[in-house]
Each structure stands twice: as C-alpha cells, then as structure tokens.
Amino acid sequence: MVKFQCSIAINLVLLQRLLALVASQSFDFFYFVQQWPGSYCNTKQSCCYPTTGKPAVDFGIHGLWPNRNNGSHPYDCYPKKPFNLSEISDLESSMQKDWPTLACPSSDGQNFWSHEWKRHGICSESVLDQHAYFKTALGLKQKANLLQALKNAGITPGGSYSLKSIHNAITESAGYTPWIECNKDSSGNYQLYQIYLCVDTSGSKLIKCPVFPKGTCSSEIEFPSF
Ligand code: AMP
Ligand code: AMP
C-alpha cells in the first residue's frame, strides 16, 4: 500500500513537471523578422559578409520567433535533436541568399541558422520540424516582399523617410500593420533595422499582431544603402 501511494506521488510529480514543460513551451503566434543588411552593417560594430560573398541588396531573414499574446515567449525548449545542417541541404542555397549571416568573423551562415533554431525554432518543434521551420520562413519571405512594398511607395535605400510612410507602405502590401525596429548608425541616427510581421502558429498565413515588441524610432528614419 505504501509502495502504491509512493508511486502515485512520483507520477504526480512527473505529471506536474510535464505540464510545466508544455506550458513553458506553448506559443500563440510567430514574429517573422526581416532585417535590412545596410542597417546591420553601418553601426559601430560593423559586419562581415558571408564567405559566399556580399548578400543581395534585399531584406534578409533574421528569424521566425514563437511568441505569446501576453508578450512573453517560450524558453528552455530542450532540443530532441541538435541543429542538423544535412536535414536542410536542399534549402541551403536559398538560405544563403535569403537568410545571410553578417556576424564577424565571416562564416557560411551555419552558426546563425543553428542559433535561430536552438533559441527560437526548437520552441515550435511540435508544429514545425527543423526542415519545415526553415522552409516556412523562406516561403514567408516570398509572400512578404518588403523591398518591393517600399519601392511601390517611393521608399528606396539611400534616403530618409517618415516612420509613418514606411508603416503605411508595409501595411498596404502585407494587409497588416508591421512593427518597425530601429537601430543607430555609427553617428547615432535612427535607421530602419528590422520589420516584424505576425504569422499564425502553423506558419501559413500573416495575421494581425496580437502584441507588439517594444522599442524606439524617431519620426523620421534613415533607410541606408547597402
Ligand atoms: P536572436 O534571434 O536570438 O538573435 O534575438 C534577437 C533579439 O530579439 C534579442 O535581443 C532577443 O532578446 C529578442 N527576442 C528573442 N526571442 C524573442 C521573441 N520570441 N520575441 C521577441 N523578441 C525576442
Ligand atoms: P539583435 O536583435 O540585433 O541584438 O541581435 C541579436 C543577436 O543576433 C546578436 O547576437 C546578433 O549579432 C545576432 N544577429 C542578428 N542579425 C544577424 C545576422 N544577419 N547574422 C548573424 N547574426 C545576427
């Protein structure tokens, strides 16, 4: 009888831990974050082009980040398997083009992709396995062509624009209000760094953002050339 009660207690503890783990890994939507390479590179810290050469003059993917409606995001998502480049070998050339690393020292991108998978992707593994995760992000970039959307509104690299005009151009094209993140160039001026759009938990469609991140831009920001 004591043995039986003891095993019930152990099972309850295990169940509690499992429920806590599931809760800590739950998410409500993704942020799909694209980055302007010109704004990554012209900061004080500068950048290094990938070993494959200077990336295209286009927004690059930073990541697809599981998030919750209350603004928090999952953490401690332990991988069943670590990042495995061989699982995405069919996507590698697209990744080099659309998800370029700009970190120094110069590298082929594996470290950046592995970081994004381990820090963010793994938290959505119940929905998207590693291959699906990267393929989904690449597909979303095709759906949300930011450079074209800005160009259609007369907003091109090498100028300064109102934050509002950038917001409006993306909203018109994507159908939903984006979040604009700024960073500062080496002289301390605010510039267009990253654009966030929200995506449903299956990664298949853009949605209205349930919550926006925090951050500061000025009302007029630079869109530096690359
Ligand atoms: P990383 O993708 O790890 O390069 O993170 C980029 C930045 O976004 C870091 O400053 C993080 O603190 C922040 N961040 C990380 N995860 C999330 C998330 N799920 N939602 C919003 N911001 C995040
Ligand atoms: P941030 O949100 O800019 O603070 O970025 C968070 C982390 O992601 C930092 O360690 C950055 O160096 C890294 N990171 C952001 N964009 C890139 C990129 N294009 N290539 C490599 N690392 C990046």
Side-chain angles (χ1 to χ4, degrees), residues 179-183 190 214-218:
W179 175 254
I180 311 285
E181 181 187 353
C182 293
N183 67 356
Y190 280 114
K214 294 190 173 60
T216 319
C217 292
S218 42

Side-chain angles (χ1 to χ4, degrees), residues 31 62 65-67 72-74 112 115-116 119-120 194 196 213:
Y31 282 126
H62 182 159
W65 302 342
N67 222 272
S72 70
H73 54 80
F112 185 30
H115 166 87
E116 289 300 309
R119 172 120 190 233
H120 305 276
Q194 301 197 120
Y196 295 55

Side-chain angles (χ1 to χ4, degrees), residues 25 77-81 117-125:
Q25 303 200 358
C77 309
Y78 297 112
K80 273 189 250 143
K81 291 179 290 177
W117 170 250
K118 288 195 281 206
R119 172 120 190 233
H120 305 276
I122 197 74
C123 295
S124 57
E125 206 196 13

